[in-house]
Amino acid sequence: MTTNNLYLDIHVIQTVPSSNINRDDTGAPKTALYGGVTRARVSSQSWKRAVRQSFKDDTVTVGFRTKAAAQLLKQALQKLTSELDDDDAWEQVNAVFKLASVKLDKDDETSALLLVSPGQIEQLAQYVTDNADGELDKKAIKAVLKGNQSIDLALFGRMVADNPELNVEAAAQVAHAISTHEVVPEFDYFTALDDLQPEDSTGAAMLGTLEFNSATLYRYANVNVNELIANLGETAAIDGIREFVKAFVLSMPTGKQNTFANKTLPNYVMVTLRPDTPVNLVSGFEDPVSSKTGYVKQSVQQLTAAYQAALSFVEKPLLNVDLGANESQVATSADNLTDLLEQLATELTKVVKDENGND
């Protein structure tokens, strides 16, 4: 089967105990009003950073989101040419960034964070070294800064305000996670005692309060498979999707982790490969889950009901695999996460080859 569109949906139900993994400006857990009630919320930016950190833990090559891209290039140039002194290296670096139309300030930093991959820095340094006696080409520099993308750059994209030509379209979208039910803020009143306080003294050395909540979250992300292939190539894109699904499923933001030790694993995961459009199933929780015996079971039921309702509007998925259900009514059940990832990679490889006419 061939298709012009190819999207992967990732749905996760995950219960998190007392926690404050993503704070607002007052230090309170972020919230959202949905379905007329207050929900716990974890921002997409927070979870994307957790995914990037998870990539590093799994030794997946990721980029640098930094203001110090010029310094990285200088170091790479001097690594290739050991006799290159600082002044000459900075002269070459400034020439590159001028041609790339990316401004550097007096501290040789970019005005905003710039996401660059290790491959881009290395190839840029090699290009400059190979052309040290000639003129640098603006188009060649742009091509280097658009190619050799790391997985996080290809997935989450890049915006360069100084030069939109260097922008990279994100292949993945990550929704703000919200609780499937209403939450009520809770407060932890705590004290700290001075270990060397005299026995005849009373009172605490410190008093404080910390806001927290407990929630069963619905988490969602999608991947534009063809966009990722355009960024990385077929093989790297399929491998990258496996790594992204694994990282998204297993990662968690680390806010107040030492205080609450709230790291949990998902209760339910469903991945869907669609030939038409991505579908966020959060509408299944517009009516908040209400239960006296826990939220997970009812959340999974409402999620799968939303999946079935969506079939009236979209094409039949090419693949739907889930993990964590005793008896799945909507998907092929995987034995474990490795099995789920293997089923996904097999189907992706088949569909991509069919679409491109490969044997």
Side-chain angles (χ1 to χ4, degrees), residues 64-134:
F64 307 102
R65 190 173 61 174
T66 180
K67 290 186 176 182
Q71 180 66 36
L72 292 175
L73 180 56
K74 173 182 173 291
Q75 292 170 356
L77 285 168
Q78 291 181 313
K79 184 177 180 181
L80 286 175
T81 309
S82 57
E83 64 271 17
L84 188 66
D85 63 30
D86 285 351
D87 289 340
D88 288 340
W90 277 120
E91 183 179 349
Q92 293 180 353
V93 168
N94 285 319
V96 168
F97 276 79
K98 183 177 180 180
L99 287 172
S101 300
V102 177
K103 298 175 184 177
L104 298 178
D105 62 20
K106 58 182 179 62
D107 296 318
D108 294 312
E109 292 186 338
T110 55
S111 59
L113 293 170
L114 180 66
L115 180 56
V116 291
S117 73
Q120 289 172 343
I121 293 295
E122 291 169 8
Q123 188 172 345
L124 202 54
Q126 188 65 59
Y127 171 76
V128 173
T129 301
D130 292 344
N131 293 273
D133 298 327

Side-chain angles (χ1 to χ4, degrees), residues 34-279:
Y34 185 67
V37 300
T38 299
R39 314 291 184 110
R41 176 172 66 91
V42 182
S43 72
S44 58
Q45 296 91 332
S46 178
W47 224 297
K48 281 190 282 189
R49 175 168 174 76
V51 169
R52 292 184 71 238
Q53 294 302 115
S54 181
F55 282 152
K56 293 178 182 179
D57 293 341
D58 286 346
T59 66
V60 176
T61 300
V62 297
F64 307 102
R65 190 173 61 174
T66 180
K67 290 186 176 182
Q71 180 66 36
L72 292 175
L73 180 56
K74 173 182 173 291
Q75 292 170 356
L77 285 168
Q78 291 181 313
K79 184 177 180 181
L80 286 175
T81 309
S82 57
E83 64 271 17
L84 188 66
D85 63 30
D86 285 351
D87 289 340
D88 288 340
W90 277 120
E91 183 179 349
Q92 293 180 353
V93 168
N94 285 319
V96 168
F97 276 79
K98 183 177 180 180
L99 287 172
S101 300
V102 177
K103 298 175 184 177
L104 298 178
D105 62 20
K106 58 182 179 62
D107 296 318
D108 294 312
E109 292 186 338
T110 55
S111 59
L113 293 170
L114 180 66
L115 180 56
V116 291
S117 73
Q120 289 172 343
I121 293 295
E122 291 169 8
Q123 188 172 345
L124 202 54
Q126 188 65 59
Y127 171 76
V128 173
T129 301
D130 292 344
N131 293 273
D133 298 327
E135 274 193 34
L136 300 179
D137 181 68
K138 184 175 182 178
K139 290 184 178 179
I141 290 174
K142 175 187 172 183
V144 172
L145 289 172
K146 292 280 282 187
N148 265 308
Q149 296 178 22
S150 55
I151 181 62
D152 54 339
L153 175 55
L155 283 167
F156 304 135
R158 176 178 68 196
M159 188 190 78
V160 184
D162 289 341
N163 184 5
E165 289 184 333
L166 299 180
N167 289 353
V168 175
E169 189 70 25
Q173 299 174 339
V174 179
H176 289 232
I178 66 168
S179 63
T180 63
H181 53 89
E182 182 178 11
V183 296
V184 177
E186 298 183 75
F187 295 86
D188 177 32
Y189 170 78
F190 63 89
T191 65
L193 299 178
D194 187 335
D195 290 342
L196 300 181
Q197 181 173 284
E199 292 184 5
D200 58 353
S201 297
T202 60
M206 176 186 174
L207 302 175
T209 58
L210 175 65
E211 189 171 338
F212 67 94
N213 60 41
S214 303
T216 296
L217 300 173
Y218 168 62
R219 301 167 45 209
Y220 170 78
N222 65 57
V223 180
N224 183 331
V225 178
N226 290 333
E227 185 71 42
L228 192 62
I229 290 174
N231 288 345
L232 294 177
E234 287 183 15
T235 301
I238 293 172
D239 290 342
I241 288 172
R242 283 179 59 116
E243 294 295 338
F244 176 57
V245 173
K246 178 183 176 183
F248 184 71
V249 167
L250 297 179
S251 64
M252 179 177 286
T254 57
K256 293 293 180 181
Q257 183 77 52
N258 291 342
T259 301
F260 292 103
N262 52 256
K263 181 69 167 68
T264 61
L265 295 172
N267 303 89
Y268 180 76
V269 177
M270 180 169 66
V271 296
T272 309
L273 192 61
R274 296 185 178 278
D276 48 359
T277 181
V279 181

